Amino acid sequence: MNGTFVAQEALSFFASAQMTALRTGVAGWLLLALTAYAAPEVLPPTAETMVELQKIEAASYRGTVDGLRLKYQDTARARPGDAMPRVFVAWCTLPSDDAWNQLKAIATIFPDNPWVRYGMGRIYTNWKGMSDLARTEFDAVLKRDPKFYPALVGQGDVARVKQDYPLAEEKYRAALTLAEDPFARAGLGLVLAAQGKNDEARVELRKAITAHPEQPAALSVLVKLSPDLTEQALDEA
């Protein structure tokens, strides 16, 4: 890779990441860009990263995410060649415009990072009318790595938004053959409930909430399907 190409790519990166650069320091982002081109990215195991993301989402749900965001920002400054702390910073404000801007900036330097595209897919899924863009992101991740189960869960979420419940069920079950994931369990429970399969739905939703309680949609449906339960009781369990 010649120096001219690197310089052109770095300039393109700074154009799309202006606001992020102002927050984190241009020098740090320049070092990140140069490091990214110097060596391939080495990512932690998928399940390990999912645990971290679930911790962030739980803190966001409970309104205690600010401390985590500051920690990740400090880590990002200390490890300028590592994209993942910056992904975690962006996750702290998912699915906001700010999170999208941060992930888009990271994607310019790390276009093959699956977590960046997965995060953008999650954002599009939450934005009204953007589900097709979400599916594009998840499809791209799975094309590179068919065993990246969070993207299968994302495909299930898109199908659920479109009310294609059989397809959503297929995607969630496919994800669960690869890993035990509370988001996949929750999605499966929700689509089973939508299809009137209430007994099966209760089983899956209980598993999902036991593993990761901070899932309000799953919790709400489980309470509706279980008159003997209350959200407070499940939250305290």
Side-chain angles (χ1 to χ4, degrees):
M1 183 177 295
N2 61 48
T4 300
F5 178 79
V6 171
Q8 290 173 341
E9 290 294 297
L11 287 172
S12 175
F13 161 71
F14 285 122
S16 65
Q18 183 178 11
M19 294 306 298
T20 306
L22 290 173
R23 284 195 300 270
T24 60
V26 172
W29 276 90
L30 176 59
L31 183 55
L32 172 62
L34 295 177
T35 304
Y37 286 115
E41 189 176 13
V42 178
L43 296 172
T46 301
E48 180 181 314
T49 300
M50 278 303 298
V51 168
E52 196 69 19
L53 297 180
Q54 288 162 11
K55 181 170 71 174
I56 295 170
E57 295 191 27
S60 294
Y61 176 77
R62 297 184 179 278
T64 59
V65 77
D66 288 346
L68 285 176
R69 183 170 61 249
L70 291 173
K71 184 190 79 169
Y72 297 132
Q73 287 173 340
D74 288 343
T75 304
R77 282 190 287 269
R79 289 157 42 189
D82 186 354
M84 291 311 298
R86 289 171 171 78
V87 171
F88 295 150
V89 171
W91 226 268
C92 290
T93 58
L94 220 69
S96 68
D97 289 352
D98 179 66
W100 185 90
N101 287 330
Q102 292 186 60
L103 290 173
K104 190 68 173 177
I106 300 168
T108 308
I109 295 301
F110 294 94
D112 297 329
N113 185 303
W115 297 106
V116 175
R117 302 203 74 160
Y118 168 64
M120 293 178 71
R122 287 281 305 275
I123 291 172
Y124 289 139
T125 303
N126 280 275
W127 287 358
K128 187 175 181 179
M130 297 286 191
S131 57
D132 287 338
L133 287 175
R135 184 172 54 197
T136 297
E137 297 294 341
F138 298 137
D139 289 351
V141 173
L142 288 166
K143 185 176 181 180
R144 293 186 63 87
D145 182 2
K147 293 186 177 181
F148 190 80
Y149 67 88
L152 281 170
V153 179
Q155 287 183 330
D157 292 341
V158 170
R160 179 162 58 86
V161 168
K162 291 177 172 288
Q163 298 185 355
D164 187 344
Y165 299 129
L167 178 60
E169 180 178 346
E170 175 188 325
K171 296 299 183 180
Y172 293 135
R173 291 192 186 279
L176 289 166
T177 65
L178 296 173
E180 180 55 49
D181 180 77
F183 293 163
R185 287 284 174 203
L188 179 57
L190 290 171
V191 297
L192 289 170
Q195 296 174 90
K197 302 175 182 178
N198 292 347
D199 290 341
E200 295 176 71
R202 275 191 291 268
V203 171
E204 299 300 337
L205 291 170
R206 281 180 180 272
K207 289 180 180 178
I209 295 301
T210 298
H212 186 69
E214 297 84 0
Q215 299 190 81
L219 182 59
S220 177
V221 172
L222 179 56
V223 169
K224 289 178 181 177
L225 296 178
S226 309
D228 56 316
L229 295 177
T230 64
E231 292 191 19
Q232 181 178 358
L234 283 168
D235 196 45
E236 293 173 351

